[in-house]
Amino acid sequence: MDFGLVLQTDRPASRVVGLMRRAERNGFRYGWTFDSAVLWQEPFVIYSQILEHTRKLIVGPMVTNPGTRSWEVTASTFATLNDMFGNRTVCGIGRGDSAMRVAGRRPDTLARLGEAIDVIRDLAEGREALVDGTPVRIPWVTEGRLPVWMAAYGPKALALAGRKADGFILQLADPFLTRWMVDAVRGAAEEAGRDPASITICVAAPAYVGDDLAHAREQCRWFGGMVGNHVADLVGRYGERSGLVPEDLTSYIKEREGYDYSHHGRTGNRSTDFVPDEIVDRFCVLGPVDAHLARLRELRAIGVDQFALYAMHDAQETTIDAYGTGIVPAL
């Protein structure tokens, strides 16, 4: 199992770079960041510094979207970083949540997302692609490689990931829901004539190492609210009891009254008070090292290739170090 660190690009950027360097020293192979231009600093600028100050770390957004950047600009940015640092990027992409909504836009359609996946990958790897009907190729790309991993929850999005994406990003660490969604992605891949095993499975969730479970829950409760944004979209699209989305995923948002993006992904977000302890425990990985090992082994048995841990809490360094000491070597 690989490991990744997920951060917001809060200022100062030097701290983001420093935490990524710390992660690499502790055996992490991936460094991810949020991508929301209004809420945080520009991640692609910071990626250049992370890549300059690490040796092998692979970096990328978790996740970008097709709407806030033109596709040829996204592809060229990845290709430039790869040309400078040797194909050490990955493109995590989804329909768009905070990046789109805080700018007054709706998340993109799945059709638009599917088209963007193909175009960004082709352009970043030197192939010609149609951009809004115009043939485009980046002529200086010669040996570029850009895996595109898609974030998804709902049945149509899971099917799209299985048909088109190089990897699948699931932003929660509940084994039951992970199995359900991984099976859906692999089933769609097989139906599309792809090898299901060729799709990298990445589970991303907050991890907090420590014995004070109540404190860890409060530090990570924000995550249930963030996931709730996507779940609310699914309920609106499919209905709460459609059978297309597991009730385990949808039932907890009944008390949800809205969401404040100014505190997106942050401890103490009052928009997440509706999230019960049970959901925090299921979606996140909390407790002593043994509890982390048990959950991650369960996820690995389902077929998870990478665990990317969100570290937006008050124990960033100690959690990264605890993973480096007792968890990464074991897995």
Side-chain angles (χ1 to χ4, degrees):
M1 178 180 275
D2 284 334
F3 290 86
L5 176 66
V6 189
L7 298 173
Q8 294 171 337
T9 50
D10 288 316
R11 58 188 300 268
S14 57
R15 175 161 174 79
V16 178
V17 176
L19 288 170
M20 291 298 185
R21 294 180 66 189
R22 191 184 199 106
E24 185 180 58
R25 291 196 301 269
N26 277 285
F28 289 64
R29 290 193 61 220
Y30 286 78
W32 302 92
T33 74
F34 283 43
D35 176 16
S36 187
V38 174
L39 297 177
W40 304 288
Q41 293 189 329
E42 172 54 41
F44 285 92
V45 174
I46 298 172
Y47 294 158
S48 67
Q49 292 298 302
I50 296 171
L51 290 164
E52 174 68 27
H53 289 91
T54 56
R55 293 177 58 248
K56 296 182 179 180
L57 199 71
I58 298 167
V59 304
M62 188 176 282
V63 291
T64 193
N65 67 84
T68 55
R69 308 171 194 276
S70 65
W71 302 349
E72 68 274 20
V73 170
T74 299
S76 181
T77 305
F78 277 113
T80 301
L81 292 171
N82 284 336
D83 191 61
M84 292 173 67
F85 299 103
N87 289 334
R88 289 170 54 198
T89 66
V90 57
C91 177
I93 194 167
R95 293 176 58 230
D97 179 33
S98 61
M100 297 292 281
R101 297 184 201 269
V102 297
R105 306 187 187 106
R106 293 176 61 85
D108 273 294
T109 65
L110 287 175
R112 187 81 171 158
L113 174 57
E115 186 182 355
I117 288 172
D118 290 336
V119 169
I120 291 169
R121 183 197 292 120
D122 284 344
L123 291 177
E125 295 185 346
R127 295 183 295 276
E128 183 179 283
L130 288 177
V131 180
D132 294 326
T134 300
V136 174
R137 189 176 76 85
I138 303 175
W140 51 264
V141 177
T142 55
E143 298 180 359
R145 182 178 180 276
L146 182 66
V148 181
W149 297 8
M150 180 182 155
Y153 291 108
K156 292 181 180 179
L158 295 169
L160 179 63
R163 292 194 306 269
K164 287 186 175 287
D166 301 299
F168 165 49
I169 297 171
L170 174 58
Q171 291 166 308
L172 54 80
D174 175 69
F176 171 79
L177 292 169
T178 298
R179 185 182 299 278
W180 186 87
M181 294 187 187
V182 168
D183 286 348
V185 169
R186 288 180 169 159
E190 191 168 10
E191 289 179 8
R194 303 180 67 196
D195 177 6
S198 69
I199 301 174
T200 302
I201 307 297
C202 174
V203 159
Y208 195 108
V209 179
D211 294 325
D212 188 343
L213 189 56
H215 179 73
R217 285 175 179 146
E218 291 311 311
Q219 288 291 304
C220 299
R221 196 175 303 277
W222 60 264
F223 184 67
M226 187 180 85
V227 173
N229 292 331
H230 302 285
V231 175
D233 282 346
L234 295 178
V235 170
R237 187 173 300 113
Y238 299 108
E240 186 177 341
R241 299 187 182 277
S242 64
L244 296 173
V245 182
E247 188 175 351
D248 292 53
L249 183 60
T250 62
S251 60
Y252 83 97
I253 68 164
K254 293 177 181 178
E255 303 301 321
R256 181 179 182 271
E257 296 180 351
Y259 191 78
D260 181 358
Y261 278 95
S262 66
H263 299 287
H264 187 55
R266 297 188 186 280
T267 297
N269 186 344
R270 293 182 179 178
S271 299
T272 64
D273 290 347
F274 70 94
V275 180
D277 288 350
E278 177 193 3
I279 288 295
V280 181
D281 292 347
R282 289 182 62 175
F283 286 11
C284 305
V285 185
L286 313 174
V289 167
D290 286 348
H292 289 248
L293 287 170
R295 174 72 66 85
L296 294 175
R297 285 179 173 132
E298 192 173 0
L299 292 171
R300 184 173 65 176
I302 295 168
V304 174
D305 300 296
Q306 179 184 155
F307 176 59
L309 66 91
Y310 289 92
M312 280 76 77
H313 50 56
D314 65 1
Q316 292 178 313
E317 290 90 349
T318 56
T319 293
I320 293 168
D321 292 348
Y323 264 70
T325 301
I327 297 171
V328 174
L331 295 174

